[in-house]
Amino acid sequence: LVKTHNLLTTRNYIFGYHPHGIMGLGAFCNFSTEATGVSQKFPGIRPYLATLAGNFRMPILRDYLMSGGICPVNRDSIDYILSKNGSGNAIIIVVGGAAESLNCTPGKNSVTLKNRKGFVKLALRHGADLVPVYSFGENEVYKQVIFEEGSWGRWVQKKFQKHIGFAPCIFHGRGLFSSNTWGLLPYPKPITTVVGEPITIPKIDNPSQREVDFYHSIYVDSLIKLFDKYKCKFGLPETEVLEVN
């Protein structure tokens, strides 16, 4: 977990986490556990990782998720945390979601963001600052079978995504005893999560589409600049470009 700027405890924040990867391991390890010392790096900030509401319908799993400060990624939960829980709260939203997971593969840096603007509208309604977050290596820890647009496989995935909320991915990692065998353990690749500079957001109770678009464009530019600034430091060539879909 790499900190680039201090976060004020007098403000609330929405972290946009990118990319989703297969499981969002960087988001979970960094913001729902103390594995990388999030409370020491950002003292006074309470992180809440937002995930699918369906995960909270399963006993035991629900309690485990809640013990790590994980909350449903729905408007009611986010509204409560940002308006009824004081300041110093940080909601982490994996913006690309299931759609982005379908395209994650080693060696590819792309995000689904162009038409994802709901998190910006929430930030404006609550006056919560936006913080771009990029995890280098998130797409490297699993290998996935990518189905092309128009194929039967992609059709099935999109149907699942539409009706259930997640897309079934065909992927594999390494085996339990050897990296040369297939299994569900992630490959031993580093994931480096860089938390960028917060973008100051005004509080607007009913933001117009023009205002949402304006701050969304600022966010996209900030994410690209964050990627470009740190890509060489974490193993990518200077020529690597972040693909924004």
Side-chain angles (χ1 to χ4, degrees):
L1 180 63
V2 177
K3 172 184 176 181
T4 63
H5 291 78
N6 292 324
L7 298 181
L8 299 176
T9 57
T10 54
R11 299 286 293 173
N12 283 325
Y13 301 91
I14 293 180
F15 287 18
Y17 182 91
H18 314 268
H20 183 286
I22 293 291
M23 296 184 181
L25 293 178
F28 176 78
C29 293
N30 285 304
F31 300 113
S32 291
T33 77
E34 279 296 325
T36 54
V38 63
S39 64
Q40 284 75 43
K41 288 184 171 69
F42 300 103
I45 301 297
R46 295 181 296 274
Y48 297 88
L49 176 61
T51 187
L52 290 174
N55 291 330
F56 294 87
R57 298 190 182 101
M58 301 176 64
I60 302 177
L61 173 62
R62 172 191 60 208
D63 302 283
Y64 173 71
L65 294 176
M66 292 175 67
S67 71
I70 299 178
C71 67
V73 62
N74 58 38
R75 180 171 169 176
D76 289 341
S77 297
I78 295 173
D79 282 347
Y80 179 84
I81 293 171
L82 295 180
S83 64
K84 307 290 186 182
N85 202 36
S87 60
N89 303 293
I91 304 254
I92 297 90
I93 299 177
V94 186
V95 178
E100 191 172 87
S101 69
L102 296 178
N103 295 316
C104 70
T105 186
K108 185 174 184 179
N109 289 282
S110 66
V111 296
T112 301
L113 182 56
K114 280 184 178 179
N115 297 315
R116 300 294 174 105
K117 300 180 181 181
F119 72 106
V120 177
K121 189 173 184 178
L122 280 171
L124 286 164
R125 289 179 61 244
H126 293 285
D129 293 348
L130 288 171
V131 182
V133 179
Y134 196 86
S135 271
F136 296 89
E138 182 71 66
N139 287 343
E140 310 299 317
V141 295
Y142 285 105
K143 295 179 180 179
Q144 180 184 188
V145 177
I146 302 293
F147 294 101
E148 298 296 329
E149 289 291 341
S151 66
W152 67 270
R154 181 54 64 96
W155 180 85
V156 170
Q157 288 176 321
K158 287 188 173 181
K159 285 294 183 182
F160 265 84
Q161 178 187 337
K162 180 179 179 180
H163 296 291
I164 301 178
F166 71 91
C169 301
I170 300 177
F171 68 93
H172 70 84
R174 56 159 291 168
L176 181 61
F177 301 107
S178 171
S179 59
N180 295 321
T181 59
W182 286 14
L184 292 180
L185 291 179
Y187 287 106
K189 303 288 185 179
I191 298 177
T192 306
T193 302
V194 184
V195 180
E197 181 178 4
I199 303 165
T200 302
I201 301 295
K203 188 177 187 304
I204 305 174
D205 290 335
N206 294 295
S208 66
Q209 188 60 50
R210 183 176 180 179
E211 290 167 327
V212 172
D213 290 344
F214 174 73
Y215 285 100
H216 181 268
S217 66
I218 293 176
Y219 178 86
V220 173
D221 290 342
S222 296
L223 179 65
I224 293 172
K225 289 177 181 177
L226 180 71
F227 178 85
D228 289 339
K229 182 176 180 179
Y230 289 94
K231 62 185 178 183
C232 294
K233 185 175 181 180
F234 299 118
L236 297 178
E238 180 65 37
T239 55
E240 185 71 21
V241 175
L242 178 63
E243 180 183 329
V244 179
N245 300 313

